């Protein structure tokens, strides 16, 4: 186990996105897609989390024994730009160390389907990350899911709030599955192992 994996305390895995069916298949909502798959894997259903303005599922990830981790999966229901409030409230409620928080989000500066995992750093203009960092500092993990840059002169805001294209959707399930695998590897085996396996 590497030093970037604190042993004590639960993990909070946050999929970033916007609530509402009209946003469900947007590029900006890939974090929700990964969180939904992880919830399915642990056999849980999202439910409202009290006053935290989020939906959560609690469960465990990993084999029986010391590598088994308590995990809270969360989807903020505050809209992307205000993600920090719900994430910070959940972190406080569940007593999660900041280094045990994982944000899963779309990333413009990485080609479609490529993953990059890291601890800390800037927000690269991502308003969800900006809000989380403002609420609790930058020392949390990120699983960055590449969506690529907008074509031509399309504005970034228009691009991220559009659904994945029909060509992209052919591989989307595979890439979401791989991102969920990466989250599990990060939580169970640590950042270094997860980067070695999933950073393309």
């Amino acid at each position: 186990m590497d030093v970037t994996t604190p042993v004590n305390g639960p993990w909070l895995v946050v999929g970033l996105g916007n609530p509402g069916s009209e946003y469900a298949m947007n590029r900006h909502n890939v974090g929700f897609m990964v969180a939904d798959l992880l919830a399915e894997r642990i056999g849980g259903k999202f439910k409202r989390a009290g006053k935290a303005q989020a939906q959560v599922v609690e469960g465990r990830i990993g084999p029986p024994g010391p590598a088994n981790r308590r995990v809270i999966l969360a989807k903020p229901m505050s809209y992307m730009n205000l993600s920090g409030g719900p994430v910070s409230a959940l972190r406080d409620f569940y007593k999660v160390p900041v280094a045990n928080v994982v944000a899963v989000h779309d990333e413009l500066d990485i080609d479609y389907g490529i993953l990059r995992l890291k601890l800390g750093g800037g927000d690269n203009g991502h308003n969800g990350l900006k809000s989380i960092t403002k609420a609790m500092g930058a020392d949390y993990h990120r699983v960055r899911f590449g969506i690529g840059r907008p074509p031509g002169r399309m504005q970034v805001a228009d691009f991220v709030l559009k659904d994945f294209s029909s060509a992209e959707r052919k591989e989307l399930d595979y890439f979401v599955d791989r991102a969920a695998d990466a989250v599990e590897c990060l939580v169970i085996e640590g950042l270094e192992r997860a980067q070695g396996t999933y950073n393309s």
Side-chain angles (χ1 to χ4, degrees), residues 144-187:
R144 305 157 73 205
F145 186 112
I147 61 169
R149 301 293 303 184
R153 297 186 178 186
M154 183 186 288
Q155 294 296 310
V156 165
D158 295 332
F159 180 69
V160 299
L161 293 176
K162 280 199 183 324
D163 288 359
F164 285 101
S165 70
S166 55
E168 288 170 333
R169 281 200 295 272
K170 289 175 183 172
E171 295 182 291
L172 183 59
D173 286 350
Y174 168 76
F175 289 139
V176 168
D177 193 68
R178 193 164 183 271
D181 290 347
V183 171
E184 290 181 345
C185 184
L186 168 62
V187 169

Side-chain angles (χ1 to χ4, degrees), residues 11 13 34-47 56-62 68-74 180 183-184 187-188:
W11 284 76
V13 176
V34 175
D36 285 338
L37 179 57
L38 287 165
E40 195 179 302
R41 288 182 179 184
I42 65 173
K45 288 194 183 307
F46 279 100
K47 61 180 188 292
V56 299
V57 175
E58 294 182 59
R60 302 194 78 85
I61 287 176
N68 191 258
R69 306 271 183 256
R70 181 177 170 226
V71 173
I72 299 97
L73 305 174
V183 171
E184 290 181 345
V187 169
I188 297 164

Side-chain angles (χ1 to χ4, degrees), residues 107-162:
E107 179 61 63
L108 286 159
D109 286 337
I110 303 173
D111 289 341
Y112 174 60
I114 301 296
L115 296 176
R116 292 277 191 279
L117 286 78
K118 69 173 188 172
L119 174 64
D123 56 58
N124 204 24
H126 192 289
N127 288 327
L129 297 182
K130 196 175 293 182
S131 179
I132 294 171
T133 297
K134 185 177 179 185
M136 61 178 210
D139 296 330
Y140 55 93
H141 287 87
R142 298 98 189 277
V143 175
R144 305 157 73 205
F145 186 112
I147 61 169
R149 301 293 303 184
R153 297 186 178 186
M154 183 186 288
Q155 294 296 310
V156 165
D158 295 332
F159 180 69
V160 299
L161 293 176
K162 280 199 183 324

